[in-house]
């Protein structure tokens, strides 16, 4: 009888521990999806704002949710041509804006102008020579926005806001 | 003192419940009501107008596991954010996947769906705002796949994949 009681207490303890663990994971998930999360960003498209070798940035989800992102913000966007990939770009035009851009800056000076339709954004990388962005896939719906980059947290000497990019 | 501690315990309990509910609805599945007639007759077979009748709107179980790989098949019913207003969510049926050719209504030519996009249409062609008006949508807008009707009780059941006969040209 005592043996059974011992097992029961062990089982209860294990259950309590796993419940606490599950609650912790839930908290982690909610913070990650609704407040902020740290993201590793790499690739040449945002050079020189972000290093091509990789930066860890802090992204917050609240302002995309409330709809208060604006021109010049660096944002995380789910790539329209591949939903499994998330890219980092800068917002150049909001809905209703007239955007003029170089179609192929490496080869020609040809410009094109479009008006961003309702509920869409025009996003571009800071490095216009090595960035696959709205110049290739066109405007992106606002619903693809995953977050706004607040600041760089790694490497530590580059810690700080990314708001003052080459565009402004 | 007793009221404060019981209030604290109550707050903690409801916070925990909220956290778990959010996690489950984001990761696994959630239930959402279907309003409007765009998917008639699959959803909302009876036209509803009054407040009481709108309580009997169909509610569907939306599973989220499909969001890990973004693998969908033609005929799936999906919930997605509207491309023109991110606050709205629509429920429509996937008609075409990347690489398919779609015959655009009221136009002569066929259109190839670009990489990472899909073509969605409502079952009720006469009152549906879908890809026929805004074109193909990115798969990244999809928020989940509707699998079952869970409310009202007499309509509980599995949703099956179904494709309209005309319009799609597949290669």
């Amino acid at each position: 009888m005592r043996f059974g009681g011992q097992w029961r207490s062990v089982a209860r303890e294990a259950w309590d521990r796993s419940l606490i663990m599950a609650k912790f994971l839930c908290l982690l998930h909610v913070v990650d999806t609704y407040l902020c999360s740290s993201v590793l960003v790499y690739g040449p498209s945002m050079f020189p704002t972000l290093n091509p070798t990789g930066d860890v940035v802090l992204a917050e989800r609240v302002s995309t949710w409330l709809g208060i992102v604006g021109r010049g913000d660096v944002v995380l966007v789910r790539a329209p041509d591949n939903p499994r990939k998330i890219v980092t770009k800068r917002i150049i035009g909001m809905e209703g804006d007239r955007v003029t851009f170089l179609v192929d800056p490496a080869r020609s000076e040809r410009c094109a102008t479009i008006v961003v339709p309702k509920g869409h954004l025009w996003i571009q990388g800071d490095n216009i020579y090595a960035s696959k962005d709205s110049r290739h896939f066109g405007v992106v719906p606002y619903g693809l926005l995953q977050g706004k980059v607040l600041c760089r947290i790694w490497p530590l000497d580059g810690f700080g806001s990314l708001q003052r990019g080459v565009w402004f | 003192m007793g009221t404060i501690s019981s209030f604290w315990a109550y707050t903690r309990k409801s916070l925990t419940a909220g956290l778990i509910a959010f996690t489950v609805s984001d990761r696994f599945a959630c239930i959402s009501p279907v309003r409007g007639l765009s998917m008639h007759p699959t959803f909302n077979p009876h036209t509803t107008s009054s407040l009481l009748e709108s309580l009997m709107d169909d509610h569907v179980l939306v599973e989220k596991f499909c969001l890990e790989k973004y693998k969908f098949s033609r005929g799936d019913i999906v919930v997605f954010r509207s491309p023109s207003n991110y606050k709205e969510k629509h429920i429509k049926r996937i008609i075409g996947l990347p690489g398919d050719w779609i015959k655009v209504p009221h136009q002569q030519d066929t259109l190839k769906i670009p990489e990472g996009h899909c073509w969605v249409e409502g079952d009720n062609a006469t009152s549906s705002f879908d890809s026929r008006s805004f074109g193909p949508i990115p798969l990244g807008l999809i928020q989940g796949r509707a699998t079952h009707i869970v409310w009202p009780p007499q309509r509980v059941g599995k949703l099956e994949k179904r494709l309209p006969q005309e319009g799609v040209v597949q290669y």
Side-chain angles (χ1 to χ4, degrees):
Chain A
M1 196 59 206
R2 204 198 301 167
F3 189 68
Q6 195 184 353
W7 273 111
R8 203 171 298 150
S9 78
V10 167
R12 182 172 300 154
E13 173 132 359
W15 169 250
D16 283 352
R17 286 284 162 84
S18 47
L19 208 63
I20 288 172
M21 195 66 201
K23 281 180 198 170
F24 176 71
L25 288 178
C26 287
L27 180 71
L28 218 62
H29 168 85
V30 169
V31 169
D32 196 71
T33 358
Y34 295 98
L35 287 178
C36 59
S37 66
S38 55
V39 191
L40 174 69
V41 184
Y42 58 91
S45 77
M46 282 301 278
F47 185 78
T49 315
L50 296 167
N51 295 317
T53 48
D55 280 331
V56 180
V57 295
L58 188 72
E60 52 108 356
R61 321 267 187 193
V62 183
S63 51
T64 40
W65 191 58
L66 294 175
I68 47 173
V69 294
R71 285 168 216 99
D73 286 344
V74 179
V75 286
L76 302 176
V77 181
R78 208 171 270 285
D81 52 350
N82 180 2
R84 271 154 287 180
K85 207 169 78 181
I86 290 182
V87 295
T88 318
K89 303 282 173 215
R90 196 181 287 277
I91 298 180
I92 303 296
M94 307 287 291
E95 59 179 26
D97 287 357
R98 183 180 292 272
V99 179
T100 306
F101 61 99
L102 290 164
V103 180
D104 189 1
R107 267 178 243 144
S108 67
E109 296 275 290
R110 194 161 65 88
C111 283
T113 303
I114 64 126
V115 175
V116 182
K118 185 177 173 293
H120 287 67
L121 300 167
W122 185 269
I123 53 167
Q124 250 173 260
D126 283 355
N127 184 3
I128 54 170
Y129 300 101
S131 167
K132 190 166 185 253
D133 47 34
S134 282
R135 291 168 300 153
H136 303 89
F137 45 68
V139 290
V140 294
Y142 192 99
L144 289 179
L145 235 61
Q146 302 291 308
K148 175 175 144 186
V149 175
L150 267 188
C151 60
R152 176 177 12 216
I153 47 181
W154 190 267
L156 279 176
D157 54 336
F159 187 92
S161 167
L162 304 175
Q163 287 312 304
R164 300 278 155 232
V166 290
W167 293 94
F168 295 92
Chain B
M1 254 352 248
T3 51
I4 289 178
S5 67
S6 73
F7 175 74
W8 176 236
Y10 178 73
T11 318
R12 266 186 58 165
K13 246 179 213 156
S14 43
L15 262 178
T16 318
L19 285 182
I20 293 171
F22 267 112
T23 311
V24 169
S25 70
D26 281 352
R27 289 259 156 139
F28 307 119
C30 69
I31 291 168
S32 63
V34 180
R35 305 237 154 72
L37 287 173
S38 74
M39 286 296 278
H40 177 91
T42 314
F43 298 132
N44 297 340
H46 314 291
T47 52
T48 53
S49 49
S50 71
L51 187 70
L52 190 72
E53 278 177 325
S54 72
L55 282 179
M56 298 302 277
D57 272 353
D58 283 356
H59 286 59
V60 288
L61 184 77
V62 181
E63 61 110 349
K64 309 272 177 168
F65 292 108
C66 55
L67 297 183
E68 300 202 346
K69 291 258 163 65
Y70 283 94
K71 282 244 176 283
F72 297 96
S73 46
R74 294 172 199 90
D76 279 350
I77 299 172
V78 291
V79 177
F80 60 95
R81 284 184 200 281
S82 160
S84 53
N85 181 359
Y86 74 103
K87 284 177 189 152
E88 279 175 18
K89 282 186 187 170
H90 295 305
I91 184 161
K92 296 278 182 302
R93 199 183 284 277
I94 293 185
I95 304 294
L97 289 169
D100 289 355
W101 290 82
I102 291 280
K103 192 172 168 299
V104 186
H106 315 303
Q107 284 173 32
Q108 290 306 311
D109 53 340
T110 55
L111 176 114
K112 189 178 190 203
I113 300 176
E115 200 51 46
H117 287 62
C118 65
W119 189 269
V120 288
E121 278 184 24
D123 286 357
N124 184 6
T126 49
S127 81
S128 170
F129 182 64
D130 51 29
S131 281
R132 279 169 291 210
S133 29
F134 50 68
I137 62 158
L139 286 169
L141 288 176
I142 292 178
Q143 303 288 308
R145 178 170 60 193
T147 54
H148 295 80
I149 298 181
V150 290
W151 183 263
Q154 74 271 19
R155 290 183 36 77
V156 170
K158 201 170 184 309
L159 292 163
E160 70 240 46
K161 292 174 186 172
R162 196 166 58 77
L163 277 175
Q165 294 310 305
E166 32 79 46
V168 193
V169 196
Q170 284 168 19
Y171 288 99

